[in-house]
Amino acid sequence: MYVLGIETSCDETGVAIYHAKRGLINHVLYSQVEMHSEYGGVVPELASRDHIRKLVPLIKQLIQESQLTSADIEGIAYTAGPGLMGALLVGASTARSLAWTWKIPAVAVHHMEGHLLAPMLEENPPAFPFVALLISGGHTLLVQVNQIGEYLLLGESLDDAAGEAFDKTAKLLGLSYPGGPKLSKLAEQGYPQIKFPRPMTDRPGLDFSFSGLKTFALNTINASEKTSQDKADIAAGFQLAVAETLTIKCKRALQKTGLKRLVVAGGVSANSQIRSLLTEMTIKEQAQIYFPRLEFCTDNGAMIAYAGCQRLMLGQQQGLDIFARPRWPISELY
Ligand code: KG4
Ligand code: ZN
C-alpha cells in the first residue's frame, strides 16, 4: 500500500510516500523559514498562503520523482492538528479533495503522533512499549507508548514548550528566527559558568516548566556587559539547563514505568547536547535510546505518511468532512 503523507501544520510544507512493505519511498520538504524570519516568528496568514502555493506542485514533484503515478497511491494521510488553523486547513482540504478524486481513503494524523513514530523510519526501530520525549516548538510531552494509538500522557510543559524557550531565549540574545539551532551553535563558543535553574526537578512529577529559564536569561543578559563571550556563556548555561532538566525527567519516567526504551523526537531532538546527555543517561540506566535522523526531527511529510499508513492498515479512515483541530491533546487519541 502506497500512502501519500501531507504535513502543513506550521511553516514547513512536507510531503512523502511510504509503502507498507517497502518503507519510505521518497519525501520532499519546502521550508518557509526564510519568509517568516523577517518577522521574527511564524506569521499564520503568510504560512497558509504559502502552503497553498507550494503543496500541489510538491505533490506532483514527489510522485514523479518516485516514478509512480497518482493511480498507485492507495491512501492519503494528512496532519489534522495540532497546529495553525489556516495552515492545517490547506493540507486537510487538499488531502480530502485528492482522496475523493482518486477514490481512496484519507486519514487524519495527529502531528505529535507523527513525531513520536518518526524513529520507526530508521533501520533499528524501537519495539513497543517505550517512553517518548517529544520536544518541539509547540509541545513538550512525556508519553508512555504502549502501541500505535495507545498513548498515556506522563508529563507535559505547564508553560513554554522546550523549542519555544529556545526560540525566545535566542531572540533575547539577538539571534534571528528560528533561534533554537542558532543558540545551540552559539553555545559551542561559551562556557556554562552561569548556573541556570533546573525547573521542577526538586519535586516529584514529570511535568516541565521552561518559561522561567527565559526570564533568568533576560535578567542575566541585562546584568552582563553583553559582550559576544557573555552571550555565548548565557547560551551555554541555558542549553545545559534544558538538557539536564529533560534528562532528569526522562530518567524518572523510565524508572516510574519500568520501561527500558526511550524515544526522543520533535525539532529540539536535533540538539546535540540534549542527544548526548540523554544517551549517557540511558547507558547508565541500561536502556536503549532512539532518535529520528536529523532531517526527520523537525516537521516533515515522512512521519505523517508512516503514521497514516499504520492507521489505514488498522482500518481507520475519516469521512468526507475536512478534519482540522488546532488544539488536540494527544491523550484524546487513546
Ligand atoms: O518539531 P518542529 O519542527 O516544529 C513543531 O512541531 O513545533 O520543532 C521546531 C522547534 C523550533 O523551536 C526550533 O528552534 C527547535 O525545534 N530546534 C532546535 C534545534 N533544531 C530545531 N532547538 C534546539 N537545538 C536545535 N538544534
Ligand atoms: Zn512538529
Side-chain angles (χ1 to χ4, degrees):
M1 178 191 254
Y2 285 105
V3 176
L4 167 66
I6 298 179
E7 157 62 39
T8 63
S9 67
C10 191
D11 58 350
E12 332 267 358
T13 320
V15 293
I17 295 174
Y18 183 86
H19 186 271
K21 291 209 179 87
R22 293 175 56 204
L24 183 65
I25 305 297
N26 190 13
H27 75 104
V28 186
L29 185 87
Y30 174 80
S31 175
Q32 306 176 350
V33 156
E34 224 171 279
M35 177 180 76
H36 296 293
S37 75
E38 198 184 320
Y39 303 95
V42 178
V43 184
E45 184 57 25
L46 292 182
S48 326
R49 285 165 192 254
D50 211 46
H51 285 308
I52 293 174
R53 272 192 291 270
K54 297 289 172 3
L55 184 53
V56 172
L58 277 185
I59 294 172
K60 276 190 182 159
Q61 179 191 338
L62 172 79
I63 293 177
Q64 259 170 21
E65 282 181 0
S66 309
Q67 290 167 345
L68 296 171
T69 69
S70 57
D72 295 309
I73 309 293
E74 289 158 277
I76 304 188
Y78 61 95
T79 303
L84 303 170
M85 187 48 152
L88 290 169
L89 277 173
V90 178
S93 51
T94 306
R96 195 49 269 172
S97 313
L98 286 176
W100 186 77
T101 316
W102 295 343
K103 299 186 176 55
I104 56 174
V107 66
V109 172
H110 190 289
H111 181 76
M112 299 313 286
E113 177 178 55
H115 275 305
L116 83 82
L117 294 176
M120 296 296 185
L121 294 162
E122 301 309 317
E123 258 181 27
N124 176 26
F128 296 106
F130 54 78
V131 170
L133 171 70
L134 304 179
I135 36 181
S136 72
H139 297 86
T140 303
L141 304 173
L142 258 173
V143 186
Q144 179 177 329
V145 178
N146 291 335
Q147 53 175 312
I148 301 259
E150 196 178 319
Y151 310 128
L152 307 179
L153 186 64
L154 301 171
E156 62 186 327
S157 178
L158 304 180
D159 42 55
D160 291 354
E164 192 180 356
F166 263 96
D167 293 341
K168 286 178 175 172
T169 304
K171 204 170 193 175
L172 296 173
L173 290 166
L175 304 169
S176 64
Y177 175 85
K182 290 172 191 137
L183 187 151
S184 176
K185 193 117 199 66
L186 179 62
E188 285 169 18
Q189 257 89 77
Y191 304 94
Q193 42 197 335
I194 305 145
K195 175 94 176 164
F196 277 64
R198 274 55 176 158
M200 295 183 73
T201 53
D202 56 354
R203 63 186 102 158
L206 295 169
D207 286 332
F208 303 90
S209 165
F210 290 112
S211 69
L213 290 181
K214 164 196 69 193
T215 314
F216 190 92
L218 177 64
N219 293 337
T220 313
I221 294 165
N222 287 341
S224 76
E225 288 177 12
K226 302 183 187 65
T227 64
S228 47
Q229 190 59 50
D230 288 338
K231 288 184 181 172
D233 290 348
I234 291 166
F238 168 84
Q239 180 174 264
L240 184 62
V242 175
E244 285 192 356
T245 304
L246 293 172
T247 305
I248 292 167
K249 297 283 172 161
C250 285
K251 181 175 167 184
R252 246 183 230 176
L254 289 173
Q255 290 174 345
K256 186 179 168 204
T257 57
L259 295 174
K260 290 285 179 194
R261 284 180 288 270
L262 177 68
V263 158
V264 187
V268 183
S269 69
N271 183 282
S272 52
Q273 186 168 37
I274 292 174
R275 282 183 173 237
S276 71
L277 290 198
L278 285 167
T279 304
E280 275 171 33
M281 180 276 288
T282 50
I283 292 169
K284 284 193 198 130
E285 292 295 302
Q286 295 183 314
Q288 302 292 316
I289 191 160
Y290 303 84
F291 299 99
R293 72 190 82 161
L294 285 180
E295 65 179 328
F296 293 161
C297 286
T298 44
D299 293 348
N300 63 86
M303 65 185 194
I304 302 303
Y306 176 84
C309 183
Q310 306 311 310
R311 288 195 169 266
L312 286 166
M313 286 195 302
L314 292 170
Q316 298 178 15
Q317 56 175 283
Q318 262 61 46
L320 284 180
D321 45 337
I322 292 163
F323 186 81
R325 261 185 89 173
R327 285 177 187 273
W328 187 6
I330 196 167
S331 49
E332 285 186 17
L333 287 179
Y334 181 32

